[in-house]
């Protein structure tokens, strides 16, 4: 098969664009990724905003698929939103622009698709199914083979379920992302299956029409498959059984991949999760109230134990991290919960057997799903009760409405990924094209990329990779200004008021057009209230006032609007043009030292090295992400104001400044005003 040259393909792509621009930095990345694929050498690329990273890795993937039959590339994104961008915009654009045929698919976890068995069960429960006299989805089998009265759901929930069931009869994909108005968690969970709940195609009577299986089938026939980090983590945990075999793995937004994998490879337990098993059990078994009572009592015991211990350890050490042996009160509560769950599983198996449900019927599916749900909770209870192993961290976290969770994960995921992901076999049909990857593993070639990629990321993920830092295509020296005013330090009493003063000044000078990023919700609320008092006629939006999507749309629609936001807006938002002419950051975004994951990472490197090796690099990457919201195109201009004097004064400042674009720097407000005036804003 003739091998198309990726550089030539890039030329075709540029020519097909109305305002296409040939960027040397993008060509450099295309050539580097292509070389990595051909030589099976792992590669880490830092490609600043504007390079065109997605096209730069997709073109070599297309080339590889055409050069070697059935060669496949898996692209791992940091979010479902980025998945949808690749699947709905970037890949279709390349398919139209190139005369090189290739196949692509977007694959998400099962919980993102309608479950046809759950749809059938819900239709019966609502009295809409043809089998409503022979199936029960309301309260379960009552022990003598008869069907009890179906319990009606909450009226508002029923309206929502009715709407979803109508959609279920017309949707071509059954995917949650199709819905412009996302349903409530309660409604969607009734029509989908969560992680570990699916009984599997071989045991489900609805397998032939299963939307998730259809998506997996499309992925199995695709040259490029786009997944998200959580699905990739689930594939790692499942021993590579969820995703098709692949020769190449591209990790986009790789600066977030490590934390995403640390979170996804862990386990978490709450009293609510245990308590929910009572409902799961009672949907199948109607005449065993003592089991539900035992589960509820066990869940209460877990809640009480976690609340008690959290209060003790957080007051002692400032975090909910648990080192050493598990406290007896928690261990006892988990044991009690495990016994209650075991009783539920035994009950489900006995009733399922006595009912004589047909192996692939909806009733059998319901029982199997309930059993798998209980087994999953039981497995996690056992993991949480085990002794801590090196590299593991266990902690209690406090959620909304005072709910507590017990969590366990690994911080040294490099060995896990190396053994279970990087060393897995390449696609069978393309082994003739594969050589050793330089690590002796014979696994997929890994390319990771991000606008802000720490050179040490690959090593922490268990990879020996070449590192390439591509220059920015934007002229930051002419188009951007970094302003660090002489303010009190953030721990000073006068600092919050000084932040308000600076923000008011920037918003007035820019006529709005300001994105203000904060490191805490508390500081955001305090500041936005003060700014609104000082500028009553200004249109100032604040995270929490409306859904994030609505806030972003309003900010982009009116260039005289300002938006105050926290973590979720440090990445992802793109506002080219004058809409965002100023990005203001309240302070250097150091990770919270009492966060159990951060604390464990600091312990791993030692107290004398922790700040410089853990906190400073993390802050630099996060700050660079926030600064990256400013200049999104070659013609954008604007200012970045970091209201933390440590960025200009602290001994570690150079390590953070090195992560930022090479803008002109000043501490003088007069320089700031002069630059803003030069933008020509009305």
């Amino acid at each position: 098969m003739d091998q198309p040259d990726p550089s030539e393909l890039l030329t075709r792509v540029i020519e097909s664009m109305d305002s296409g621009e040939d960027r040397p930095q993008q060509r450099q990345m295309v050539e580097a990724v292509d070389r990595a694929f051909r030589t099976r050498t792992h590669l880490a690329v830092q490609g600043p905003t504007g390079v065109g990273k997605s096209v730069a890795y997709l073109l070599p993937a297309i080339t590889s698929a055409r050069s070697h039959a059935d060669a496949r590339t898996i692209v791992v994104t940091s979010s479902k939103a980025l998945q949808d961008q690749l699947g709905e915009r970037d890949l279709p654009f390349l398919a139209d622009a190139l005369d090189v045929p290739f196949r692509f698919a977007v694959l998400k976890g099962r919980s993102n698709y309608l479950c046809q068995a759950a749809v059938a069960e819900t239709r019966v429960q609502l009295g809409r199914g043809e089998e409503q006299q022979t199936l029960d989805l309301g309260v379960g089998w009552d022990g003598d083979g008869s069907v009890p009265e179906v319990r009606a759901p909450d009226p508002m929930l029923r309206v929502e379920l009715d709407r979803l069931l109508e959609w279920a009869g017309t949707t071509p994909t059954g995917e949650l992302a199709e819905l412009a108005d996302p349903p409530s968690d309660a409604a969607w969970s009734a029509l989908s299956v969560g992680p570990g709940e699916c009984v599997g195609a071989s045991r489900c009577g609805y397998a032939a029409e299963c939307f998730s299986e259809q998506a997996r089938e499309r992925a199995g026939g695709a040259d490029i498959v786009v997944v998200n980090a959580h699905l990739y983590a689930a594939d790692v945990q499942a021993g590579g059984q969820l995703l098709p075999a692949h020769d190449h793995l591209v990790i986009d937004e790789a600066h977030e991949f490590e934390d995403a994998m640390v979170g996804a490879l862990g386990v978490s337990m709450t009293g609510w999760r245990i308590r929910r098993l009572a409902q799961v059990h009672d949907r199948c078994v109607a005449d065993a109230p003592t089991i539900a009572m035992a589960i509820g009592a066990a869940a209460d015991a877990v809640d009480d134990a976690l609340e008690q211990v959290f209060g003790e350890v957080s007051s002692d050490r400032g975090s909910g991290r648990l080192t050493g042996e598990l406290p007896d009160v928690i261990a006892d509560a988990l044991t009690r919960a495990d016994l209650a769950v075991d009783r539920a599983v035994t009950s489900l198996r006995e009733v399922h057997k006595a009912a004589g449900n047909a192996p692939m019927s909806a009733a059998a599916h319901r029982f199997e799903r309930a059993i798998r749900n209980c087994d999953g909770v039981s497995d996690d209870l056992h993991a949480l009760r085990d002794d801590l192993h090196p590299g593991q961290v266990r902690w209690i976290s406090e959620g909304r409405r005072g709910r507590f969770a017990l969590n366990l994960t690994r911080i040294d995921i490099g060995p896990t990924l190396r053994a279970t992901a990087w060393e897995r076999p390449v696609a069978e049909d393309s082994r003739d094209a594969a050589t050793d990857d330089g690590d002796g593993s014979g696994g997929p070639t890994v390319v990771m990329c991000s606008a802000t990629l720490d050179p040490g990321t690959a090593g922490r993920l268990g990879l020996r990779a070449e590192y390439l830092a591509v220059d920015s295509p934007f002229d930051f020296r002419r188009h951007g200004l970094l302003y660090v005013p002489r303010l009190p330090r953030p721990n000073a009493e006068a600092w919050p008021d000084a932040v308000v003063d600076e923000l008011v000044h920037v918003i007035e000078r820019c006529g709005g057009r300001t994105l203000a990023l904060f490191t805490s919700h508390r500081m955001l609320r305090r500041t936005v209230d003060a700014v609104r008092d000082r500028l009553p006629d200004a249109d100032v939006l604040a995270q929490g006032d409306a859904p994030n999507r609505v806030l972003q749309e309003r900010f982009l629609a009116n260039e005289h609007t300002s938006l105050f936001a926290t973590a979720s807006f440090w990445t992802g938002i793109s506002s080219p043009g004058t809409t965002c002419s100023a990005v203001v950051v309240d302070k250097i975004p150091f990770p919270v030292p009492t966060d159990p994951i951060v604390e464990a990472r600091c312990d791993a490197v030692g107290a004398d090295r922790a700040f410089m090796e853990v906190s400073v690099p993390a802050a630099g990457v996060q700050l660079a992400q926030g600064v990256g919201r400013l200049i999104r195109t070659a013609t954008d201009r604007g200012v970045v104001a970091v209201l933390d004097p440590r960025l200009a004064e602290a001994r570690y400042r150079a390590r953070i400044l090195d992560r930022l674009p090479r803008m002109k720097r000043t501490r003088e407000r007069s320089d700031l005003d002069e630059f803003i005036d030069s933008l020509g804003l009305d």
Side-chain angles (χ1 to χ4, degrees):
M1 185 180 298
D2 293 337
Q3 177 174 343
D5 179 71
S7 183
E8 178 187 340
L9 295 185
L10 178 58
T11 299
R12 296 184 204 172
V13 170
I14 295 170
E15 291 174 348
S16 70
M17 301 172 66
D18 293 336
S19 56
E21 180 181 350
D22 195 339
R23 298 171 178 171
Q25 299 86 354
Q26 188 177 41
R27 287 197 177 275
Q28 182 185 9
M29 183 173 172
V30 167
E31 293 168 359
V33 175
D34 179 57
R35 183 169 57 253
F37 283 174
R38 286 187 289 102
T39 62
R40 298 198 57 78
T41 302
H42 302 315
L43 175 68
V45 182
Q46 176 172 279
T49 300
V51 167
K53 292 184 290 297
S54 59
V55 169
Y57 63 67
L58 289 173
L59 292 182
I62 294 169
T63 299
S64 177
R66 294 295 298 163
S67 304
H68 308 295
D70 296 321
R72 180 179 293 112
T73 298
I74 298 286
V75 178
V76 181
T77 69
S78 60
S79 67
K80 295 173 187 175
L82 185 53
Q83 267 188 288
D84 293 335
Q85 176 185 309
L86 289 169
E88 297 172 9
R89 191 180 72 184
D90 297 348
L91 283 163
F93 165 72
L94 292 177
D96 289 340
L98 303 173
D99 58 0
V100 178
F102 67 94
R103 301 159 296 177
F104 65 88
V106 174
L107 183 61
K108 299 176 182 177
R110 287 191 184 274
S111 62
N112 290 275
Y113 302 92
L114 284 172
C115 170
Q116 296 285 26
V119 168
E121 292 178 15
T122 304
R123 289 187 188 279
V124 173
Q125 184 183 19
L126 299 182
R128 297 179 52 164
E130 296 179 358
E131 300 178 86
Q132 62 201 56
Q133 298 303 314
T134 59
L135 286 177
D136 159 49
L137 294 172
V139 294
W141 185 72
D142 67 357
D144 62 3
S146 63
V147 178
E149 180 181 356
V150 174
R151 179 191 304 149
D154 175 84
M156 295 300 295
L157 178 60
R158 170 152 193 153
V159 170
E160 195 173 10
L161 289 172
D162 282 337
R163 178 174 61 86
L164 288 172
L165 290 174
E166 291 296 331
W167 170 70
T170 61
T171 174
T173 68
E175 188 180 343
L176 177 61
E178 272 190 37
L179 297 169
D181 184 17
S184 66
D185 291 342
W188 186 253
S189 64
L191 300 176
S192 63
V193 291
E197 289 185 288
C198 180
V199 301
S202 64
R203 304 177 69 177
C204 180
Y206 296 85
E209 52 192 293
C210 175
F211 290 117
S212 178
E213 289 297 321
Q214 291 169 8
R216 292 185 67 183
E217 185 175 351
R218 289 192 294 270
D223 303 311
I224 299 173
V225 182
V226 184
V227 305
N228 58 61
H230 281 85
L231 178 56
Y232 188 77
D235 183 62
V236 169
Q237 289 180 310
Q241 299 301 306
L242 303 183
L243 301 180
H246 47 280
D247 302 84
H248 314 304
L249 180 75
V250 175
I251 303 173
D252 203 344
E253 299 294 347
H255 67 282
E256 298 181 355
F257 184 76
E258 182 179 7
D259 285 343
M261 294 298 289
V262 166
L265 292 175
V267 297
S268 182
M269 186 61 58
T270 63
W272 177 89
R273 186 180 171 196
I274 297 167
R275 195 172 290 109
R276 181 173 175 268
L277 295 185
Q279 298 174 328
V280 170
H281 175 270
D282 287 355
R283 280 172 58 90
C284 300
V285 182
D287 62 344
T290 59
I291 290 179
M293 292 173 60
I295 291 174
D300 290 343
V302 169
D303 280 337
D304 292 343
L306 294 181
E307 182 176 9
Q308 173 188 329
V309 176
F310 180 80
E312 295 170 354
V313 298
S314 61
S315 63
D316 180 47
R317 60 187 301 155
S319 79
R321 185 181 174 199
L322 303 175
T323 57
E325 295 184 359
L326 196 65
D328 289 342
V329 64
I330 295 180
D332 292 343
L334 296 182
T335 300
R336 182 176 178 179
D338 197 24
L339 292 172
V341 173
D342 186 62
R343 283 186 61 193
V345 172
T346 301
S347 171
L348 287 166
R349 294 188 187 280
E350 290 176 348
V351 173
H352 183 27
K353 181 178 180 180
N357 296 310
M360 301 184 74
S361 66
H365 177 276
R366 183 168 71 257
F367 273 93
E368 291 284 353
R369 179 180 172 184
I371 291 170
R372 290 175 67 88
N373 204 323
C374 291
D375 284 342
V377 171
S378 181
D379 289 344
D380 288 353
L381 287 169
H382 281 276
L384 289 163
R385 288 163 55 197
D386 282 347
D387 293 336
L388 282 177
H389 301 292
Q392 287 186 320
V393 55
R394 182 165 52 198
W395 74 101
I396 303 171
S397 58
E398 184 177 13
R400 292 178 297 177
R401 294 187 289 275
R403 291 176 178 167
F404 295 90
L406 181 62
N407 311 279
L408 175 73
T409 192
R410 301 190 65 87
I411 58 169
D412 58 341
I413 60 173
T416 298
L417 290 174
R418 183 174 178 82
T420 59
W422 314 147
E423 296 182 357
R424 75 175 50 158
V426 297
E428 291 291 338
D429 293 336
S430 58
R431 286 184 180 277
D432 58 327
T435 60
D436 187 82
D437 69 355
D439 277 353
S441 66
T445 302
V446 181
V447 171
M448 55 182 63
C449 61
S450 171
T452 53
L453 188 61
D454 189 301
T457 299
R460 292 194 301 272
L461 295 176
L463 287 170
R464 289 185 296 168
E466 294 184 1
Y467 181 77
L468 171 66
V470 178
D471 291 335
S472 173
F474 301 151
D475 189 351
F476 283 98
R477 292 288 300 176
R478 292 179 55 237
H479 290 183
L481 176 73
L482 175 62
Y483 169 58
V484 184
R486 294 180 177 85
L487 302 184
R489 292 205 169 193
N491 60 354
E493 184 177 348
W495 179 72
D497 291 336
V499 168
V500 173
D501 289 340
E502 293 291 342
L503 263 167
V504 167
H505 182 78
V506 170
I507 291 172
E508 287 183 319
R509 297 291 298 197
C510 292
R513 301 183 176 93
T514 299
L515 174 64
L517 300 173
F518 294 84
T519 54
S520 74
H521 287 279
R522 182 185 61 81
M523 185 62 183
L524 182 152
R525 296 314 314 182
R526 173 174 178 166
T527 306
V528 74
D529 290 343
V531 170
R532 284 170 172 168
D533 286 343
R534 296 267 297 272
L535 301 174
D537 296 328
D539 187 5
V540 179
L541 307 175
Q543 188 171 350
D545 292 347
N548 288 358
R549 175 179 55 81
V550 174
L551 291 173
Q552 181 168 337
E553 291 172 354
R554 290 177 59 187
F555 178 61
L556 298 179
N558 181 0
E559 66 175 301
H560 293 289
T561 297
S562 297
L563 173 60
F564 288 32
T566 56
S568 56
F569 281 89
W570 284 70
T571 62
I573 185 172
S574 181
S575 51
T578 58
T579 302
C580 181
S581 295
V583 171
V584 180
V585 178
D586 69 335
K587 65 179 179 179
I588 299 172
F590 288 112
V592 179
T594 55
D595 178 279
I597 300 294
V598 175
E599 186 180 335
R601 285 173 173 163
C602 290
D603 288 349
V605 300
D608 56 333
R609 298 160 50 198
F611 182 71
M612 295 300 291
E613 294 193 20
V614 176
S615 298
V616 169
V621 168
Q622 181 71 1
L623 183 59
Q625 285 290 320
V627 171
R629 302 310 96 203
L630 180 69
I631 294 180
R632 309 297 294 178
T633 72
T635 58
D636 286 352
R637 300 179 68 211
V639 299
V640 173
V642 179
L643 309 182
D644 185 340
R646 294 175 296 178
L647 188 61
E649 299 168 358
R651 59 183 176 82
Y652 51 78
R653 64 187 183 278
R655 292 193 59 180
I656 296 180
L657 288 168
D658 285 346
R659 308 297 303 172
L660 305 184
R662 302 299 184 187
M663 296 180 285
K664 289 183 290 187
R665 302 170 184 171
T666 186
R667 306 201 71 186
E668 305 300 330
R669 182 178 279 189
S670 59
D671 293 336
L672 172 75
D673 293 347
E674 181 181 351
F675 193 90
I676 293 176
D677 289 344
S678 74
L679 300 180
L681 304 173
D682 55 30

